[in-house]
Amino acid sequence: IETIVLFLLEQQGRLASRIEKLGKQRAILAEQPDISAIAELREAYREVGLDLIKLLKFVDLNATGIRKILKKFDKRFSYRFTDYYVSSRSNHPYSQLQQVFKHVGVGAVVGALSRNLADLQERQGSYLSIYDQPASALKDPIIDMINSSVDKLTRSTNFLRFLGQHALIAQEESPSTAGEEEIEDQKYHFVSLMLNLVNTFLYMVNTYIIVPTADDYSVSLGAASTVCGVVIGSMAVAQVFSSVYFSAWSNKSYFKPLVFSSIVLFLGNVCYAMAYDTKSLTVLIVGRLLCGLGSARAVNRRYISDCVPARIRMQASAGFVSASALGMACGPALAGLLQWRFKIYMVTFSQSTLPGWLMAVAWLLYLVWLCISFKEPNRATEADDTPHNRASGQSVDIGQVENGLAQPLLGDSESKLNDDDDDDEEDESEESAQDSRKPATSIGSAYRLLTPSVKVQLLIYFMLKYAMEILLSESSVITSHYFNWNTSSVAIFLAILGLTVLPINAVVGTYISNMFEDRQLLMASQITLLVGIIFSFKVTSTYSVIQYVVSALVTFVSAEVLEGVNLSLLSSVMSSRLSRGTYNGGLLSTEAGTLARVVADCTITAAGYLGIGSLLNVTLLPSLVICAASIACTFLTYNSLF
């Protein structure tokens, strides 16, 4: 580490010296402008920028090496040395880890270089004729490349990046080359992207539009109101299986699985709506199972990962999350508006059946739009851009670093990394340089890539989804029993909860996440969630609306904050081999969250046999236990979350 840090400081000094010399030339040109000299000076600054990017990659490579060494030490000696090492050295006044993981001083070089490049861009534009260059000059691409490298190292975040991380969609570690950008542009089709986002939105609407009325629908079919747990959860049961086959199907096509999804969802919603006239609870549940079998979120996520150019992939990822959040809010809101009751021939339209008919029409219209407008990407082109080739491209970049700034040190550190991996062939959680981007090929291989830190993050994701599902799915039963709320009141309440998603993420992603470490936010949001769950219990003879609403807001908001931080940490501690392929990190998190929803909905129905009066406390008790367990596990792995 000392060798790395001293070399880093030496190279920082050289870069700073070069920038200082170029600054003197810039001062001369400010007095005696020369267009050709300005262009040459700008190119010289860009060369410094490229060397800075190589240096940042060098730091990132060695930071990864340190993490792997510590992980392997813990594994071989069965001693948690990492916790002691990091906690005792990270905040020491003479800490060299600060230079590696926070690269103190690099920010000053980045700032000076970016400022000078931007200034030269403006100056060159002002000296040229409006016919030679557009009036509004574009920002130099090298600045974006530098910012991308710095963001990767510092994990600095903003609203867009924070929101995009919710999707667990693989982002490029470095900007694409011109050839890769051309291939990506050939695969990209804006309308097709919009169709995937609309699919995401409609599916979330379809999931939550029945929540305010599911209990009334169950009662009208002769079942208990708590059977709404099975009705709501049956969609999640089917999604556990559909996520896997849709993820595998997306290896071959995007269009066909989306068509299949639309048809199955159309049929599922028709069955859901017809259950009232057929007086069959079985038809109702079959309809929801079909809706779950049509969950194409794995395809939507995979399309963004594989077919959207790297330069806009973060925006597309944020769009994916935003579409989900808006669908979650719009579903209950639409249910509150569908308060009519009439019959056409023998078909009944009511607040219970109208959600099914509305979604059936929506999926039918979507299917028509899909067939007309979707453009299947060129699979041959995509095959040339496989993770293996991407990994090869990355190795070329590292090779350029070796031939550039630090050939002896970089070559030595990389060979040590490879030797360290090779002498333990059974340790499949460690990636060699050649296979670092090779995707997992089975559930078993994906599971073996899960480190304790990743398992804890998946447990946290399970816990927060369980708590949210308990809150949302039983809301209509609880509020009807204690407060006599009607369907419209429940719909408004759930819609307000859903609408808090984007504002809360905006505050956390823009401000709070820049003030505190992710692991600090992770622990704080879990404790807040635990407080919300405890406050939700009915411990007195009366249960007030204020207690329920406040506790629900605390629980839901803290769960939303926790989800963003959790997925941000999950993306950083998860193996790169889980970033792509069928068995990717997105699929694992989806399965964990879906399984949590299934367990939560089954818990609601099972607790219903004990009586409505006991439903609230009985369903909250597992949430309390799982939340306490996740806090304990987070505490045990806290120092490894870096």
Side-chain angles (χ1 to χ4, degrees):
I1 293 175
E2 182 177 289
T3 304
I4 295 167
V5 170
L6 293 178
F7 174 81
L8 173 62
L9 294 174
E10 177 188 7
Q11 295 302 324
Q12 286 181 21
R14 290 184 179 181
L15 292 175
S17 177
R18 289 168 63 184
I19 293 175
E20 183 182 9
K21 291 178 181 178
L22 293 175
K24 295 178 180 179
Q25 298 179 30
R26 190 169 71 87
I28 296 174
L29 288 175
E31 298 176 358
Q32 300 176 347
D34 183 343
I35 295 178
S36 61
I38 290 176
E40 292 177 1
L41 183 60
R42 181 182 166 195
E43 192 61 32
Y45 271 114
R46 295 185 83 254
E47 290 179 2
V48 176
L50 290 173
D51 285 342
L52 176 60
I53 291 172
K54 293 177 183 177
L55 184 61
L56 293 172
K57 288 182 179 179
F58 165 82
V59 176
D60 182 53
L61 176 67
N62 284 283
T64 301
I66 293 170
R67 291 190 183 100
K68 287 192 174 186
I69 291 168
L70 291 171
K71 283 167 58 180
K72 187 152 291 188
F73 190 97
D74 288 351
K75 180 180 180 65
R76 289 182 176 175
F77 293 93
S78 300
Y79 176 73
R80 300 187 63 81
F81 179 71
T82 297
D83 291 356
Y84 164 75
Y85 185 84
V86 175
S87 61
S88 63
R89 285 161 174 75
S90 59
N91 295 318
H92 193 276
Y94 305 129
S95 172
Q96 292 174 332
L97 284 180
Q98 292 279 359
Q99 287 284 353
V100 178
F101 289 103
K102 297 186 179 179
H103 49 281
V104 181
V106 171
V109 179
V110 173
L113 188 62
S114 301
R115 184 173 58 254
N116 285 303
L117 268 172
D119 182 66
L120 281 175
Q121 182 82 353
E122 294 178 2
R123 286 179 178 274
Q124 187 178 16
S126 64
Y127 294 140
L128 291 177
S129 165
I130 60 173
Y131 299 104
D132 297 326
Q133 183 169 310
S136 57
L138 297 175
K139 184 168 63 173
D140 197 306
I142 196 68
I143 297 178
D144 289 330
M145 295 172 68
I146 292 171
N147 290 335
S148 175
S149 298
V150 171
D151 286 347
K152 183 176 184 296
L153 278 170
T154 61
R155 296 178 189 169
S156 63
T157 184
N158 53 38
F159 175 48
L160 182 65
R161 185 176 298 276
F162 183 78
L163 196 63
Q165 287 173 331
H166 286 46
L168 271 185
I169 294 173
Q171 305 295 328
E172 291 297 324
E173 294 186 356
S174 59
S176 302
T177 63
E180 289 175 337
E181 287 181 354
E182 184 177 352
I183 292 174
E184 288 177 337
D185 288 338
Q186 291 175 4
K187 293 189 296 181
Y188 175 60
H189 184 233
F190 175 74
V191 177
S192 298
L193 172 62
M194 290 304 300
L195 282 163
N196 276 277
L197 296 181
V198 171
N199 183 283
T200 300
F201 171 78
L202 289 177
Y203 185 79
M204 293 303 291
V205 172
N206 209 150
T207 301
Y208 290 98
I209 194 172
I210 72 158
V211 172
T213 58
D215 57 334
D216 290 338
Y217 206 168
S218 300
V219 171
S220 67
L221 296 179
S225 59
T226 52
V227 175
C228 68
V230 172
V231 174
I232 297 171
S234 55
M235 190 170 180
V237 171
Q239 190 180 348
V240 171
F241 304 98
S242 65
S243 298
V244 178
Y245 68 71
F246 270 115
S247 183
W249 200 351
S250 62
N251 290 324
K252 300 179 180 179
S253 174
Y254 302 102
F255 175 69
K256 292 179 181 179
L258 288 177
V259 170
F260 176 79
S261 166
S262 304
I263 294 173
V264 172
L265 280 158
F266 169 76
L267 296 175
N269 282 287
V270 170
C271 288
Y272 181 85
M274 291 299 296
Y276 184 86
D277 293 307
T278 58
K279 301 296 181 183
S280 173
L281 183 64
T282 302
V283 174
L284 183 72
I285 294 176
V286 168
R288 291 295 286 178
L289 285 171
L290 286 173
C291 289
L293 292 175
S295 172
R297 288 174 63 83
V299 180
N300 307 143
R301 183 186 285 111
R302 186 69 178 273
Y303 183 87
I304 296 174
S305 176
D306 292 348
C307 301
V308 176
R311 64 180 181 273
I312 60 171
R313 193 171 299 146
M314 184 59 72
Q315 291 91 323
S317 301
F320 176 84
V321 178
S322 300
S324 299
L326 291 175
M328 182 179 179
C330 287
L334 286 173
L337 297 175
L338 302 176
Q339 297 299 303
W340 306 298
R341 183 179 181 87
F342 56 92
K343 293 189 71 169
I344 299 178
Y345 296 106
M346 302 297 293
V347 180
T348 303
F349 296 87
S350 65
Q351 66 173 10
S352 297
T353 62
L354 277 171
W357 290 120
L358 177 65
M359 293 312 303
V361 172
W363 285 113
L364 186 61
L365 294 175
Y366 174 81
L367 178 61
V368 174
W369 183 23
L370 181 71
C371 294
I372 294 174
S373 303
F374 190 86
K375 180 181 178 182
E376 182 77 81
N378 187 343
R379 306 303 297 194
T381 301
E382 189 173 348
D384 294 335
D385 194 35
T386 57
H388 176 74
N389 290 335
R390 289 180 181 269
S392 300
Q394 182 68 15
S395 65
V396 171
D397 289 339
I398 294 175
Q400 292 173 353
V401 180
E402 294 177 0
N403 295 328
L405 279 174
Q407 184 173 1
L409 183 58
L410 232 177
D412 182 59
S413 54
E414 186 176 12
S415 64
K416 287 181 179 179
L417 281 178
N418 291 338
D419 291 340
D420 189 52
D421 285 340
D422 291 340
D423 61 8
D424 189 5
E425 295 178 356
E426 294 181 358
D427 186 7
E428 295 188 31
S429 65
E430 300 291 343
E431 304 93 357
S432 66
Q434 183 178 1
D435 296 333
S436 62
R437 297 298 294 268
K438 183 179 179 181
T441 56
S442 65
I443 288 289
S445 62
Y447 180 80
R448 287 192 292 271
L449 292 170
L450 302 183
T451 62
S453 298
V454 176
K455 292 177 181 177
V456 170
Q457 296 310 308
L458 290 175
L459 171 63
I460 293 172
Y461 193 72
F462 177 93
M463 178 272 295
L464 69 91
K465 286 297 182 183
Y466 181 92
M468 290 176 67
E469 189 70 11
I470 288 290
L471 170 64
L472 298 175
S473 295
E474 71 178 13
S475 58
S476 58
V477 179
I478 296 298
T479 55
S480 175
H481 176 71
Y482 289 108
F483 317 128
N484 294 319
W485 283 9
N486 56 24
T487 301
S488 297
S489 300
V490 178
I492 293 172
F493 172 69
L494 294 178
I496 292 174
L497 284 182
L499 288 174
T500 62
V501 173
L502 293 180
I504 290 299
N505 281 303
V507 173
V508 176
T510 305
Y511 302 106
I512 298 179
S513 60
N514 289 322
M515 299 167 59
F516 303 96
E517 294 181 8
D518 282 349
R519 57 183 181 175
Q520 293 174 327
L521 292 176
L522 186 78
M523 185 65 80
S525 54
Q526 286 184 87
I527 294 174
T528 306
L529 178 59
L530 183 66
V531 171
I533 294 173
I534 293 174
F535 191 58
S536 299
F537 277 89
K538 181 181 180 297
V539 293
T540 62
S541 57
T542 59
Y543 193 63
S544 66
V545 174
I546 294 177
Q547 180 183 352
Y548 177 76
V549 171
V550 172
S551 61
L553 280 172
V554 171
T555 300
F556 190 83
V557 169
S558 57
E560 278 300 323
V561 174
L562 179 59
E563 180 176 2
V565 179
N566 169 246
L567 293 178
S568 175
L569 277 171
L570 187 60
S571 64
S572 63
V573 300
M574 187 174 285
S575 168
S576 60
R577 291 180 60 187
L578 293 174
S579 63
R580 294 185 181 275
T582 301
Y583 304 97
N584 52 63
L587 176 64
L588 293 178
S589 63
T590 299
E591 292 292 282
T594 304
L595 185 61
R597 291 175 52 204
V598 171
V599 175
D601 291 324
C602 291
T603 302
I604 292 172
T605 300
Y609 290 101
L610 301 177
I612 300 296
S614 304
L615 178 65
L616 181 64
N617 288 349
V618 171
T619 54
L620 286 175
L621 189 59
S623 297
L624 182 67
V625 173
I626 300 173
C627 187
S630 70
I631 292 175
C633 292
T634 302
F635 180 78
L636 293 175
T637 59
Y638 186 79
N639 287 324
S640 64
L641 301 176
F642 67 95

